[in-house]
Amino acid sequence: MRVALFVTCLADALFPDVGRATVAVLRRAGCEVEFPLGQVCCGQMHANSGYRREALALVRRHTEVFSAFDAVVTPSGSCAAAARHQHATIATRAGDEDLADAARALAGKTYELSEFLTDVLGVVDLGASFPHRVTYHPTCHSTRLLHLGERPLTLLRHVRGLELAPLPDASTCCGFGGTFAVKNADTSTAMLADKMAAVRASGAEYVTAADASCLMHIGGGLARLRTGVRPIHLAEILAAREGGAGA
Amino acid sequence: MTGPVRDRRAATGDGGRGCPAGPLDLPHASPIGQLRQREPFPDAARVALRDSQLRANLGRATATIRAKRAAAVGEVPDWEALRLAGAAVKDDALDRLDELLATFSERVERAGGHVHVARDAAEANGIVCRLVAETGVGEVVKVKSMTTQEIGLNDALSAAGVHAVETDLAELIVQLADDLPSHILVPAIHRNRSEIRQIFLDHMPGVDPALADEPEALAAAARRYLRDRFLHASVAISSANFAVAETGTLVVVESEGNGRMCLTLPETLISVVGIEKLVASWADLGIFFQLLPRSSTAERMNPYTSTWTGVTPGDGPRNLHVVLVDNGRRATRADPIGREALRCIRCSACLNVCPVYERVGGHAYGSAYPGPIGAVLSPQLTGIEDNWSLPFASTLCGACYEVCPVRIDIPDLLVELRARHVEHARTKAKGAARRRAGDALEAAVMAASGWMMGGPRRWAAATRVVGTLSPLAARGLLDHLPPPLAGWTESRALPPLPRESFRAWWVRTQGGRDIDGAPVPAPAPTPTQLPAPMPTQLPVPSRARDLPVGTPTPAAAGSASARPSPPVSAGASAAALLARFAERLADYGSGVWFTEEEGVAAAVAGRVRGGLVLAAPGLDPAWLAGVPGAAHDDPSRPAPELDAVATAVTACRLAIAETGTIVLDHRDDQGRRALSLVPDHHVCIIRAEQIVAGVVEAVEALDPARPLTWISGPSATSDIELRRVVGVHGPRRLDAILLGAPEDLPPSAEPAPPRPSAAPPTPAGGASPSADSSRRYRPGLRASR
């Protein structure tokens, strides 16, 4: 199957390992992966910050770049949710019904990685090995907009050597919220403090999630406190092989 | 930072009284009142976050209510269909607002009430002040009301020389402490019991200096303090949870009985009602009486719901004034996106799940409406620029939308309002708004990033900059960035910056050729047809009648927690209805007793613990035969005299199995409303055939022209640390005597214990007709048939 990787602007610029891991996982699951170089950003940050003129241009580009593919896979619950829930609305409110139709069509074939693996490919065991104690943070958009539910946990349970540590109050937001993290930095930090306390209480060595953005926030807090608990994207765990031969 | 407030009221809020409507760059007449933030949310939040006691109080309270709500909602199999129905009914009412307002007003007038219309807070306050002045009183009692808070009525009354006594426990705490409410449902949620005890000791006249800090003791102190005021008040002010157009009925949903006191005892009742409270039909209440209590107090049914239509001769207030308030609602209704906010039924479920609210509390929102719904509603009512920072006070985590009983897509509305603020700043803002440095810088960053992301070449160039910064980051030189990025680096490290972007790697390796792409041992066969992603938006029916009622949706099925017992169906047997009703009523802390017809008199006598016993005028005298000295109420006697009565005995109109609710329509065998309210003990006799399955069946069977009192257990409050305390202003004891045919009664209930007092002496050695043979309900008891 030919799938287009929508790597997300954040992973492209700051977390290329997440992109490489996603490519590895998809190839192992039997997919031919393409990376359309015209892609940039889904526009979520602009839209959610109120800059819809900028967002509209990005939605248009995103839709043009990806519409020709059978399936678009992204290692981000939040960006998948933007394509699925936000793009058509942005287009409609800008009065562009053609774009809204195209966005809706694209939304119907846009998948977050764990969703694509379990629902579309029917793969839960990717032969991964990651002998560590890991806790999983269900990010808000992957939980409440995509309803990923057990999918990421099912994938993690099939990873060799991985010990899954339950995260207390798992579904509570970590406090990232895009520009919220900067505009309401104090409140964001208070939420982060509680999330970090939960991560530490889990006793995990790694905290993982389906979103690099939330992990950047949680991991940044954990690093500042020198807790030793490290953030790692779900795709990176799924790509990890015995002896460390991962992505 | 320069405040955004262009408010013409004083900092403490003069309630907008007498403020002339001035020119504002808003698309609608200026609504005034207590809706405007005085400082931007981040600044107000910073202050709140420093208060560790506040955070602890809020964290405990919201965690408690979240768990309770999940259980109460999980019990309803068609919750998702109910939410759709609630949304559709409210949307329909908004569509037909003018028609419904005309109908409502006509019905109220026809039923003996008077309707007044207020365009904004100042007009509403002016009308209420004038109505109160005409009565000549210097004090009024008030039912907890968001609408009167919104318009700042208490301050307006105070300026007119009238003291408004808040009678809801939490509102009383807030009022005594000269504090501000911080939650829609539990305004004193930010206070714990020891703080409340201190407030009472400092500010409550006549309080016992040895007052304990147990919630029970605090509630009892409030009861003592307010009882005299209820009995002697001649004017009460309420708002309404719902206003039914087709019948002209108003509805107040409450717990403590302070609402019933205010709605029943004074001669004059003034109800201040936002025009969005309208619903088209009486039957619509069957939806909201399920959605509201489970979402707000997380109960199957709140202890008391009162509905009234105009005035009822001989029962309740003789003068009813309804003040219909716009105050920005029509403008919100005209907004095709923002109008959704007017569906809100003020349950506060969104507050309780909001991670931002949980940490900063309600005061930071600076408006009568806090939390996620406040972040939408306040700017919708005032115009975005008066509350510009509120829509940004959210991570868009979506928890609010998930619990909203009327499916208000709060995150979507927040994003829309953000966009309007940004557009305002770009095109129209002058002076302060333009000068907000953060805004200008952010706009520049957003525009620049938008340009940078405008094409892959520019974007690739931008990602190369990251690579050049990588060595700096590695040396820790980017650990502390200047504003606005300081907001990030103050509490979080930057991630290690990569030397090469993903796209650069992809191009360099000609499509990621250096990746280990060996397939997994047994790849699953690839389906040829791709399944579509999970449906995430349920279709919203345009009218209530299009609803898939009773069909559990996938979302509901997926999220429902373990249910203790499925609902009883409308066609359930009398025995099943009786058993469910008994179980549910006992859950509230009521005594529930089973008897056959001939045992009623003894069962009534067995519940009496001495003191005066007064029955409804039309109650079967045979049922009182076991209580010497019991009398029938004379409705012409002043209601305050009922304070001397220990026990009131009434029948009921019907009862609801699923929620354990008794409904009185105050006909002769039930007595005037005050009878089952003022005495501290209520004995209610219910015939098995009066029990209906659910709320919907009850609404269908009831006559909205009658005043109705829905009773679900003894009066109660959860206003202190969200812990339920039984017994506030309404009866502290409720005994239900369930009268059924032998084959419908549960088979193995234990007999009533002998009563120490009041019960007539039983002749030795034999079954006397006056011996109490009723059997008390015990948990776990089930009907066998």
Side-chain angles (χ1 to χ4, degrees), chain A residues 109-120:
Chain A
K109 50 186 180 181
T110 299
Y111 303 85
E112 182 278 333
L113 176 64
S114 70
E115 193 179 41
F116 186 73
L117 292 171
T118 57
D119 293 6
V120 179

Side-chain angles (χ1 to χ4, degrees), chain A residues 27-28 39 54 111 183 224, chain B residues 426 442 489 503 511 518 531:
Chain A
R27 282 192 185 156
R28 281 174 208 163
Q39 67 178 285
E54 288 79 0
Y111 303 85
K183 287 172 93 91
R224 191 44 56 89
Chain B
R426 275 179 170 174
E442 180 193 279
T489 54
R503 70 179 54 230

Side-chain angles (χ1 to χ4, degrees), chain B residues 321-469:
Chain B
H321 295 277
V322 183
V323 183
L324 295 170
V325 181
D326 176 349
N327 208 36
R329 287 160 175 76
R330 280 183 184 278
T332 303
R333 174 179 173 260
D335 173 348
I337 298 164
R339 73 182 314 185
E340 200 171 305
L342 294 180
R343 288 181 194 159
C344 176
I345 55 174
R346 315 283 189 262
C347 73
S348 61
C350 63
L351 278 63
N352 299 331
V353 298
C354 177
V356 173
Y357 177 88
E358 182 182 337
R359 278 146 190 105
V360 302
H363 293 161
Y365 294 82
S367 157
Y369 301 108
I373 188 60
V376 171
L377 202 52
S378 307
Q380 285 288 165
L381 292 175
T382 61
I384 175 66
E385 290 315 300
D386 280 10
N387 281 298
W388 66 271
S389 74
L390 292 183
F392 295 92
S394 166
T395 61
L396 306 177
C397 81
C400 48
Y401 179 40
E402 194 173 51
V403 298
C404 177
V406 285
R407 291 182 62 98
I408 301 171
D409 191 344
I410 294 175
D412 179 59
L413 296 183
L414 291 170
V415 168
E416 175 67 25
L417 286 166
R418 290 175 182 187
R420 290 182 191 178
H421 168 64
V422 166
E423 275 149 31
H424 177 92
R426 275 179 170 174
T427 56
K428 297 191 210 93
K430 296 171 188 70
R434 262 266 154 94
R435 284 197 300 273
R436 275 200 297 272
D439 266 15
L441 184 58
E442 180 193 279
V445 168
M446 288 291 169
S449 63
W451 179 84
M452 202 168 73
M453 290 170 161
R457 277 165 201 255
R458 290 178 217 158
W459 173 243
T463 60
R464 282 195 293 275
V465 174
V466 173
T468 62
L469 291 174

Side-chain angles (χ1 to χ4, degrees), chain B residues 504-527:
Chain B
W505 166 81
W506 182 270
V507 171
R508 180 174 59 77
T509 60
Q510 296 175 321
R513 286 198 187 163
D514 61 355
I515 276 229
D516 163 26
V520 288
T526 306

Side-chain angles (χ1 to χ4, degrees), chain B residues 576-642:
Chain B
L577 291 172
L578 195 73
R580 177 58 57 86
F581 173 72
E583 171 205 328
R584 294 288 154 93
L585 182 57
D587 271 0
Y588 298 121
S590 302
V592 180
W593 310 82
F594 300 101
T595 184
E596 296 161 28
E597 180 81 44
E598 57 270 28
V600 175
V604 170
R607 306 292 76 75
V608 171
R609 292 184 191 166
L612 279 177
V613 177
L614 205 58
L619 196 78
D620 187 346
W623 287 355
L624 298 173
V627 188
H632 286 97
D633 180 33
D634 170 5
S636 66
R637 286 164 53 183
E641 289 182 17
L642 294 169

Side-chain angles (χ1 to χ4, degrees), chain A residues 87-216:
Chain A
H87 282 185
T89 306
I90 290 169
T92 297
R93 290 189 188 161
D96 190 339
E97 274 309 318
D98 290 343
L99 179 58
D101 287 342
R104 269 187 290 271
L106 182 55
K109 50 186 180 181
T110 299
Y111 303 85
E112 182 278 333
L113 176 64
S114 70
E115 193 179 41
F116 186 73
L117 292 171
T118 57
D119 293 6
V120 179
L121 301 181
V123 179
V124 293
D125 185 351
L126 290 138
S129 171
F130 194 73
H132 298 282
R133 190 169 161 84
V134 175
T135 194
Y136 171 72
H137 167 59
T139 61
C140 296
H141 291 176
S142 69
T143 302
R144 298 195 183 87
L145 290 172
L146 297 186
H147 303 287
L148 287 191
E150 283 287 302
R151 291 173 182 82
L153 292 165
T154 303
L155 292 167
L156 288 171
R157 286 192 190 101
H158 284 85
V159 174
R160 315 283 181 281
L162 187 146
E163 185 194 346
L164 201 53
L167 180 66
D169 297 321
S171 63
T172 303
C173 178
C174 68
F176 172 63
T179 49
F180 176 87
V182 174
K183 287 172 93 91
N184 279 282
D186 299 275
T187 309
S188 172
T189 300
M191 293 164 71
L192 172 61
D194 291 347
K195 182 57 73 181
M196 290 194 295
V199 168
R200 297 179 79 173
S202 76
E205 303 160 70
Y206 287 88
V207 53
T208 191
D211 276 289
S213 51
C214 307
L215 282 173
M216 178 172 75

